[in-house]
Amino acid sequence: MNEVLQAVLDYVKAPHTDYALLITGPWGCGKTYFWKNVVEPALRQVKCDGTCWHPLYASLYGCQSTKDIDAQLFLASHPRLKNKWMTRLASVGANLFKRLWESRTSFRLPAIDLRWLVYTKDAVLCFDDLERTRLRMKEALGYINTFVEHEHAKVIVLCNDEAISDEDDKKTYAAMKEKVIGASLIFHPDLDAVFRTLVDEYKPRAELHGFLSDNTKLLQHLFTRSGTQNIRALRRALSALAVIFYTLDSGKIDPNAVAKQLIYAVAPASFELYGRGAAPSNLRKILSIEHMAVVGMSISDRRSEKSDEEKYEEAFAERYLRDLG
């Protein structure tokens, strides 16, 4: 993670760049969190030849036109305008203002283009979720390239490029990537730092924070075994543990007395559901009390003919239960 941060800072400090920088990694690995909580604060501290950089962020997730992106950049470059009314106004490209004006006067306003109201001087632009845009890839990358090629801006793209599903978009991405993207970085989260940050979010609730702190080693072991690197799945696991912790506590059951059982019942299920997209029905059977012992023993079952459900049970046991034997 520190290597990626340093690469971004080196790119921003470089006097002349005619390319964008790509940070790629699987969904949920923490790219957006890394940008907003690590890179943006670092950029605001950078001064190069008297230049103070300011980051601008836009998510392409669900964007159907470049005007949707313009609106996000407009609000990012004018943060004082970020209130509910202005957000709605910008999101429709200022057409509301145009219609209100023309309904009260005979003067016809030209269409308001928020793109030209975006303050890009000394900006570092971050375009997130490229693979989730509803724009065609040619249009999305062409839009990004206007900042790179014509404005010589510093541009970072966050993308899980392996998740681009449309075959035509895949071909377009491969063809245009060389022109737009000058360097690619693979993001790997610093798990120690991630766990400290997420667990410390529960500091205001001292007993729960203590429980999570005491069991961080086991949680990190199971998360590593999941092989997902999905930070959102980890966050949901901690949230689920918090709910059950207080349910047990209110029922006069000490959660610390059943910590290991509780974590094994909750954390792997979260990692499978939100990190692997596992079917809830499969997990309900695996995690039932009467079935856990059978699943734990299924590692030694080497029958060649197995159902998909049995194969999943075996894979689950291999990931999380082998070290319980």
Short mmCIF file of all heavy atoms in Angstrom, two decimals, residues 128-174:
data_model
loop_
_atom_site.label_atom_id
_atom_site.label_comp_id
_atom_site.label_asym_id
_atom_site.label_seq_id
_atom_site.Cartn_x
_atom_site.Cartn_y
_atom_site.Cartn_z
N ASP A 128 -13.21 6.82 -10.51
CA ASP A 128 -13.39 5.52 -9.87
C ASP A 128 -14.45 4.70 -10.61
O ASP A 128 -15.29 5.25 -11.34
CB ASP A 128 -13.82 5.74 -8.41
CG ASP A 128 -13.65 4.51 -7.54
OD1 ASP A 128 -13.21 3.47 -8.04
OD2 ASP A 128 -13.99 4.61 -6.34
N ASP A 129 -14.41 3.38 -10.44
CA ASP A 129 -15.46 2.47 -10.93
C ASP A 129 -15.63 2.51 -12.45
O ASP A 129 -16.75 2.44 -12.96
CB ASP A 129 -16.82 2.80 -10.26
CG ASP A 129 -16.78 2.64 -8.75
OD1 ASP A 129 -16.33 1.58 -8.30
OD2 ASP A 129 -17.19 3.57 -8.04
N LEU A 130 -14.53 2.60 -13.17
CA LEU A 130 -14.61 2.63 -14.63
C LEU A 130 -15.35 1.41 -15.17
O LEU A 130 -16.12 1.50 -16.13
CB LEU A 130 -13.20 2.69 -15.23
CG LEU A 130 -13.09 2.59 -16.76
CD1 LEU A 130 -13.80 3.76 -17.43
CD2 LEU A 130 -11.62 2.54 -17.18
N GLU A 131 -15.14 0.25 -14.53
CA GLU A 131 -15.75 -0.99 -15.03
C GLU A 131 -17.26 -1.03 -14.77
O GLU A 131 -17.96 -1.90 -15.31
CB GLU A 131 -15.08 -2.20 -14.38
CG GLU A 131 -15.47 -2.49 -12.93
CD GLU A 131 -14.79 -1.59 -11.90
OE1 GLU A 131 -14.08 -0.64 -12.30
OE2 GLU A 131 -14.98 -1.84 -10.69
N ARG A 132 -17.79 -0.11 -13.96
CA ARG A 132 -19.21 -0.12 -13.62
C ARG A 132 -20.00 0.99 -14.30
O ARG A 132 -21.19 1.18 -13.99
CB ARG A 132 -19.37 0.01 -12.09
CG ARG A 132 -18.81 -1.19 -11.32
CD ARG A 132 -19.03 -1.02 -9.84
NE ARG A 132 -18.61 -2.18 -9.09
CZ ARG A 132 -18.79 -2.33 -7.78
NH1 ARG A 132 -19.40 -1.39 -7.10
NH2 ARG A 132 -18.37 -3.42 -7.15
N THR A 133 -19.36 1.73 -15.20
CA THR A 133 -20.08 2.79 -15.88
C THR A 133 -21.07 2.21 -16.88
O THR A 133 -20.89 1.11 -17.39
CB THR A 133 -19.10 3.73 -16.62
OG1 THR A 133 -19.83 4.80 -17.21
CG2 THR A 133 -18.34 2.98 -17.71
N ARG A 134 -22.13 2.97 -17.15
CA ARG A 134 -23.09 2.56 -18.17
C ARG A 134 -22.78 3.21 -19.52
O ARG A 134 -23.47 2.99 -20.50
CB ARG A 134 -24.51 2.92 -17.71
CG ARG A 134 -24.92 2.14 -16.45
CD ARG A 134 -26.33 2.47 -16.00
NE ARG A 134 -27.31 2.02 -16.96
CZ ARG A 134 -28.63 2.15 -16.78
NH1 ARG A 134 -29.08 2.74 -15.67
NH2 ARG A 134 -29.48 1.74 -17.70
N LEU A 135 -21.72 4.02 -19.53
CA LEU A 135 -21.22 4.55 -20.79
C LEU A 135 -20.49 3.45 -21.55
O LEU A 135 -19.97 2.50 -20.95
CB LEU A 135 -20.23 5.69 -20.53
CG LEU A 135 -20.76 6.99 -19.92
CD1 LEU A 135 -19.61 7.83 -19.41
CD2 LEU A 135 -21.55 7.76 -20.95
N ARG A 136 -20.43 3.56 -22.86
CA ARG A 136 -19.57 2.67 -23.61
C ARG A 136 -18.12 3.00 -23.25
O ARG A 136 -17.78 4.15 -22.97
CB ARG A 136 -19.78 2.83 -25.12
CG ARG A 136 -21.18 2.54 -25.59
CD ARG A 136 -21.69 1.18 -25.18
NE ARG A 136 -20.84 0.08 -25.63
CZ ARG A 136 -21.13 -1.21 -25.47
NH1 ARG A 136 -22.24 -1.55 -24.83
NH2 ARG A 136 -20.33 -2.15 -25.91
N MET A 137 -17.27 2.00 -23.25
CA MET A 137 -15.90 2.19 -22.83
C MET A 137 -15.18 3.23 -23.68
O MET A 137 -14.35 4.01 -23.19
CB MET A 137 -15.16 0.86 -22.87
CG MET A 137 -13.79 0.88 -22.22
SD MET A 137 -13.81 1.36 -20.47
CE MET A 137 -14.79 0.04 -19.75
N LYS A 138 -15.49 3.27 -24.97
CA LYS A 138 -14.86 4.26 -25.85
C LYS A 138 -15.18 5.67 -25.40
O LYS A 138 -14.30 6.55 -25.38
CB LYS A 138 -15.33 4.04 -27.29
CG LYS A 138 -14.67 4.99 -28.29
CD LYS A 138 -15.13 4.68 -29.72
CE LYS A 138 -14.45 5.61 -30.71
NZ LYS A 138 -14.86 5.31 -32.11
N GLU A 139 -16.44 5.91 -25.01
CA GLU A 139 -16.84 7.24 -24.58
C GLU A 139 -16.22 7.59 -23.23
O GLU A 139 -15.77 8.72 -23.01
CB GLU A 139 -18.36 7.35 -24.51
CG GLU A 139 -18.86 8.76 -24.22
CD GLU A 139 -20.37 8.87 -24.23
OE1 GLU A 139 -21.05 7.83 -24.39
OE2 GLU A 139 -20.88 10.01 -24.08
N ALA A 140 -16.20 6.61 -22.30
CA ALA A 140 -15.67 6.86 -20.96
C ALA A 140 -14.17 7.17 -21.02
O ALA A 140 -13.70 8.15 -20.43
CB ALA A 140 -15.93 5.66 -20.06
N LEU A 141 -13.42 6.33 -21.72
CA LEU A 141 -11.98 6.56 -21.82
C LEU A 141 -11.67 7.80 -22.66
O LEU A 141 -10.69 8.50 -22.40
CB LEU A 141 -11.29 5.33 -22.42
CG LEU A 141 -11.12 4.15 -21.47
CD1 LEU A 141 -10.53 2.95 -22.20
CD2 LEU A 141 -10.23 4.51 -20.28
N GLY A 142 -12.49 8.07 -23.68
CA GLY A 142 -12.31 9.29 -24.46
C GLY A 142 -12.50 10.53 -23.61
O GLY A 142 -11.75 11.51 -23.73
N TYR A 143 -13.49 10.49 -22.72
CA TYR A 143 -13.74 11.60 -21.79
C TYR A 143 -12.53 11.81 -20.88
O TYR A 143 -12.05 12.93 -20.69
CB TYR A 143 -14.99 11.30 -20.97
CG TYR A 143 -15.31 12.31 -19.89
CD1 TYR A 143 -16.06 13.44 -20.19
CD2 TYR A 143 -14.86 12.12 -18.59
CE1 TYR A 143 -16.37 14.37 -19.19
CE2 TYR A 143 -15.15 13.04 -17.60
CZ TYR A 143 -15.91 14.17 -17.90
OH TYR A 143 -16.20 15.08 -16.91
N ILE A 144 -12.05 10.71 -20.29
CA ILE A 144 -10.88 10.80 -19.40
C ILE A 144 -9.67 11.33 -20.16
O ILE A 144 -8.88 12.13 -19.65
CB ILE A 144 -10.59 9.42 -18.77
CG1 ILE A 144 -11.71 9.04 -17.80
CG2 ILE A 144 -9.24 9.42 -18.06
CD1 ILE A 144 -11.62 7.61 -17.29
N ASN A 145 -9.53 10.91 -21.40
CA ASN A 145 -8.37 11.31 -22.19
C ASN A 145 -8.35 12.80 -22.50
O ASN A 145 -7.28 13.38 -22.73
CB ASN A 145 -8.33 10.52 -23.50
CG ASN A 145 -7.02 10.71 -24.24
OD1 ASN A 145 -5.95 10.49 -23.67
ND2 ASN A 145 -7.08 11.14 -25.49
N THR A 146 -9.53 13.46 -22.49
CA THR A 146 -9.53 14.91 -22.72
C THR A 146 -8.75 15.64 -21.64
O THR A 146 -8.06 16.63 -21.91
CB THR A 146 -10.96 15.47 -22.79
OG1 THR A 146 -11.64 15.23 -21.55
CG2 THR A 146 -11.74 14.85 -23.94
N PHE A 147 -8.83 15.14 -20.41
CA PHE A 147 -8.07 15.76 -19.32
C PHE A 147 -6.58 15.44 -19.46
O PHE A 147 -5.74 16.29 -19.19
CB PHE A 147 -8.58 15.24 -17.97
CG PHE A 147 -9.98 15.66 -17.65
CD1 PHE A 147 -11.06 14.85 -17.94
CD2 PHE A 147 -10.23 16.89 -17.06
CE1 PHE A 147 -12.36 15.23 -17.63
CE2 PHE A 147 -11.53 17.29 -16.74
CZ PHE A 147 -12.59 16.46 -17.05
N VAL A 148 -6.28 14.21 -19.86
CA VAL A 148 -4.89 13.77 -19.96
C VAL A 148 -4.18 14.46 -21.12
O VAL A 148 -3.10 15.04 -20.95
CB VAL A 148 -4.83 12.23 -20.15
CG1 VAL A 148 -3.39 11.79 -20.40
CG2 VAL A 148 -5.41 11.51 -18.94
N GLU A 149 -4.78 14.40 -22.29
CA GLU A 149 -4.10 14.85 -23.50
C GLU A 149 -4.23 16.34 -23.75
O GLU A 149 -3.25 17.00 -24.15
CB GLU A 149 -4.66 14.09 -24.70
CG GLU A 149 -3.93 14.38 -26.01
CD GLU A 149 -4.38 13.48 -27.15
OE1 GLU A 149 -5.23 12.58 -26.92
OE2 GLU A 149 -3.88 13.67 -28.27
N HIS A 150 -5.39 16.91 -23.49
CA HIS A 150 -5.62 18.31 -23.86
C HIS A 150 -5.37 19.28 -22.71
O HIS A 150 -5.01 20.43 -22.94
CB HIS A 150 -7.04 18.48 -24.39
CG HIS A 150 -7.33 17.63 -25.59
ND1 HIS A 150 -6.65 17.77 -26.78
CD2 HIS A 150 -8.21 16.60 -25.78
CE1 HIS A 150 -7.09 16.87 -27.66
NE2 HIS A 150 -8.04 16.16 -27.07
N GLU A 151 -5.57 18.82 -21.47
CA GLU A 151 -5.35 19.70 -20.33
C GLU A 151 -4.10 19.34 -19.55
O GLU A 151 -3.74 20.03 -18.59
CB GLU A 151 -6.58 19.69 -19.41
CG GLU A 151 -7.85 20.16 -20.10
CD GLU A 151 -9.02 20.35 -19.15
OE1 GLU A 151 -8.77 20.63 -17.96
OE2 GLU A 151 -10.17 20.23 -19.58
N HIS A 152 -3.45 18.23 -19.93
CA HIS A 152 -2.22 17.77 -19.26
C HIS A 152 -2.42 17.67 -17.75
O HIS A 152 -1.55 18.04 -16.96
CB HIS A 152 -1.05 18.70 -19.60
CG HIS A 152 -0.84 18.89 -21.07
ND1 HIS A 152 -0.35 17.89 -21.88
CD2 HIS A 152 -1.09 19.95 -21.88
CE1 HIS A 152 -0.29 18.33 -23.13
NE2 HIS A 152 -0.74 19.57 -23.16
N ALA A 153 -3.60 17.20 -17.38
CA ALA A 153 -3.94 17.06 -15.96
C ALA A 153 -3.37 15.77 -15.39
O ALA A 153 -3.07 14.82 -16.12
CB ALA A 153 -5.45 17.09 -15.79
N LYS A 154 -3.26 15.76 -14.07
CA LYS A 154 -2.87 14.54 -13.36
C LYS A 154 -4.15 13.73 -13.14
O LYS A 154 -5.10 14.21 -12.50
CB LYS A 154 -2.23 14.88 -12.02
CG LYS A 154 -1.01 15.77 -12.13
CD LYS A 154 0.15 15.08 -12.82
CE LYS A 154 1.38 15.98 -12.84
NZ LYS A 154 2.53 15.32 -13.50
N VAL A 155 -4.18 12.52 -13.67
CA VAL A 155 -5.41 11.71 -13.65
C VAL A 155 -5.10 10.32 -13.11
O VAL A 155 -4.18 9.64 -13.59
CB VAL A 155 -6.02 11.60 -15.07
CG1 VAL A 155 -7.22 10.66 -15.06
CG2 VAL A 155 -6.42 12.97 -15.59
N ILE A 156 -5.89 9.91 -12.13
CA ILE A 156 -5.81 8.56 -11.56
C ILE A 156 -7.11 7.84 -11.89
O ILE A 156 -8.20 8.40 -11.71
CB ILE A 156 -5.63 8.59 -10.02
CG1 ILE A 156 -4.53 9.58 -9.61
CG2 ILE A 156 -5.36 7.19 -9.50
CD1 ILE A 156 -3.15 9.21 -10.05
N VAL A 157 -7.01 6.59 -12.34
CA VAL A 157 -8.18 5.77 -12.63
C VAL A 157 -8.19 4.58 -11.68
O VAL A 157 -7.18 3.86 -11.57
CB VAL A 157 -8.18 5.27 -14.10
CG1 VAL A 157 -9.40 4.38 -14.36
CG2 VAL A 157 -8.15 6.46 -15.07
N LEU A 158 -9.29 4.38 -10.97
CA LEU A 158 -9.47 3.20 -10.12
C LEU A 158 -10.41 2.25 -10.84
O LEU A 158 -11.53 2.64 -11.20
CB LEU A 158 -10.06 3.59 -8.76
CG LEU A 158 -9.36 4.69 -7.96
CD1 LEU A 158 -10.03 4.87 -6.61
CD2 LEU A 158 -7.89 4.39 -7.78
N CYS A 159 -9.96 1.02 -11.03
CA CYS A 159 -10.76 0.11 -11.85
C CYS A 159 -10.40 -1.34 -11.56
O CYS A 159 -9.22 -1.67 -11.39
CB CYS A 159 -10.50 0.42 -13.34
SG CYS A 159 -11.25 -0.72 -14.51
N ASN A 160 -11.40 -2.19 -11.49
CA ASN A 160 -11.19 -3.64 -11.50
C ASN A 160 -11.33 -4.07 -12.95
O ASN A 160 -12.41 -4.45 -13.40
CB ASN A 160 -12.23 -4.33 -10.61
CG ASN A 160 -12.09 -5.85 -10.64
OD1 ASN A 160 -11.13 -6.39 -11.18
ND2 ASN A 160 -13.06 -6.54 -10.06
N ASP A 161 -10.23 -4.00 -13.69
CA ASP A 161 -10.33 -4.22 -15.13
C ASP A 161 -10.68 -5.65 -15.50
O ASP A 161 -11.16 -5.92 -16.61
CB ASP A 161 -9.07 -3.76 -15.88
CG ASP A 161 -7.78 -4.26 -15.28
OD1 ASP A 161 -7.85 -5.16 -14.41
OD2 ASP A 161 -6.72 -3.76 -15.67
N GLU A 162 -10.50 -6.58 -14.56
CA GLU A 162 -10.89 -7.96 -14.84
C GLU A 162 -12.41 -8.13 -14.79
O GLU A 162 -12.92 -9.18 -15.19
CB GLU A 162 -10.22 -8.91 -13.85
CG GLU A 162 -8.71 -8.99 -14.02
CD GLU A 162 -8.07 -10.03 -13.12
OE1 GLU A 162 -8.82 -10.64 -12.31
OE2 GLU A 162 -6.86 -10.23 -13.21
N ALA A 163 -13.12 -7.13 -14.28
CA ALA A 163 -14.58 -7.23 -14.14
C ALA A 163 -15.33 -6.57 -15.30
O ALA A 163 -16.56 -6.49 -15.26
CB ALA A 163 -15.03 -6.61 -12.82
N ILE A 164 -14.64 -6.08 -16.31
CA ILE A 164 -15.31 -5.53 -17.48
C ILE A 164 -15.95 -6.70 -18.21
O ILE A 164 -15.27 -7.59 -18.72
CB ILE A 164 -14.32 -4.79 -18.40
CG1 ILE A 164 -13.67 -3.62 -17.64
CG2 ILE A 164 -15.03 -4.27 -19.65
CD1 ILE A 164 -12.56 -2.94 -18.40
N SER A 165 -17.28 -6.72 -18.26
CA SER A 165 -17.99 -7.92 -18.72
C SER A 165 -18.34 -7.89 -20.20
O SER A 165 -18.35 -8.93 -20.86
CB SER A 165 -19.26 -8.13 -17.89
OG SER A 165 -20.09 -6.97 -17.96
N ASP A 166 -18.65 -6.71 -20.72
CA ASP A 166 -19.06 -6.62 -22.12
C ASP A 166 -17.86 -6.89 -23.04
O ASP A 166 -16.80 -6.29 -22.89
CB ASP A 166 -19.62 -5.22 -22.40
CG ASP A 166 -20.15 -5.09 -23.82
OD1 ASP A 166 -21.33 -5.38 -24.03
OD2 ASP A 166 -19.36 -4.71 -24.71
N GLU A 167 -18.04 -7.80 -24.00
CA GLU A 167 -16.93 -8.21 -24.85
C GLU A 167 -16.42 -7.05 -25.70
O GLU A 167 -15.20 -6.90 -25.89
CB GLU A 167 -17.35 -9.38 -25.75
CG GLU A 167 -17.55 -10.69 -24.98
CD GLU A 167 -16.29 -11.14 -24.25
OE1 GLU A 167 -15.18 -10.95 -24.80
OE2 GLU A 167 -16.41 -11.65 -23.12
N ASP A 168 -17.32 -6.23 -26.24
CA ASP A 168 -16.88 -5.09 -27.04
C ASP A 168 -16.11 -4.08 -26.18
O ASP A 168 -15.10 -3.51 -26.62
CB ASP A 168 -18.08 -4.40 -27.68
CG ASP A 168 -18.69 -5.24 -28.80
OD1 ASP A 168 -17.97 -6.08 -29.37
OD2 ASP A 168 -19.89 -5.05 -29.10
N ASP A 169 -16.60 -3.88 -24.95
CA ASP A 169 -15.90 -2.95 -24.06
C ASP A 169 -14.52 -3.49 -23.68
O ASP A 169 -13.57 -2.72 -23.52
CB ASP A 169 -16.73 -2.71 -22.79
CG ASP A 169 -17.82 -1.67 -23.01
OD1 ASP A 169 -17.76 -0.96 -24.03
OD2 ASP A 169 -18.74 -1.59 -22.18
N LYS A 170 -14.42 -4.81 -23.51
CA LYS A 170 -13.11 -5.41 -23.22
C LYS A 170 -12.11 -5.09 -24.33
O LYS A 170 -10.96 -4.72 -24.08
CB LYS A 170 -13.24 -6.93 -23.06
CG LYS A 170 -13.76 -7.40 -21.73
CD LYS A 170 -13.75 -8.92 -21.68
CE LYS A 170 -14.32 -9.44 -20.38
NZ LYS A 170 -14.33 -10.93 -20.35
N LYS A 171 -12.54 -5.27 -25.57
CA LYS A 171 -11.67 -5.02 -26.71
C LYS A 171 -11.30 -3.54 -26.80
O LYS A 171 -10.14 -3.18 -27.06
CB LYS A 171 -12.35 -5.48 -28.00
CG LYS A 171 -12.55 -6.99 -28.10
CD LYS A 171 -13.33 -7.36 -29.36
CE LYS A 171 -13.59 -8.87 -29.42
NZ LYS A 171 -14.40 -9.24 -30.60
N THR A 172 -12.29 -2.69 -26.57
CA THR A 172 -12.03 -1.24 -26.61
C THR A 172 -11.06 -0.84 -25.51
O THR A 172 -10.14 -0.05 -25.73
CB THR A 172 -13.35 -0.46 -26.45
OG1 THR A 172 -14.25 -0.82 -27.49
CG2 THR A 172 -13.09 1.04 -26.49
N TYR A 173 -11.27 -1.39 -24.31
CA TYR A 173 -10.40 -1.08 -23.17
C TYR A 173 -8.96 -1.49 -23.49
O TYR A 173 -8.02 -0.72 -23.26
CB TYR A 173 -10.90 -1.80 -21.93
CG TYR A 173 -10.02 -1.62 -20.71
CD1 TYR A 173 -10.09 -0.46 -19.95
CD2 TYR A 173 -9.12 -2.61 -20.33
CE1 TYR A 173 -9.28 -0.29 -18.83
CE2 TYR A 173 -8.31 -2.45 -19.22
CZ TYR A 173 -8.39 -1.29 -18.48
OH TYR A 173 -7.58 -1.12 -17.38
N ALA A 174 -8.80 -2.70 -24.02
CA ALA A 174 -7.46 -3.18 -24.35
C ALA A 174 -6.79 -2.30 -25.40
O ALA A 174 -5.59 -2.01 -25.33
CB ALA A 174 -7.54 -4.62 -24.83
#
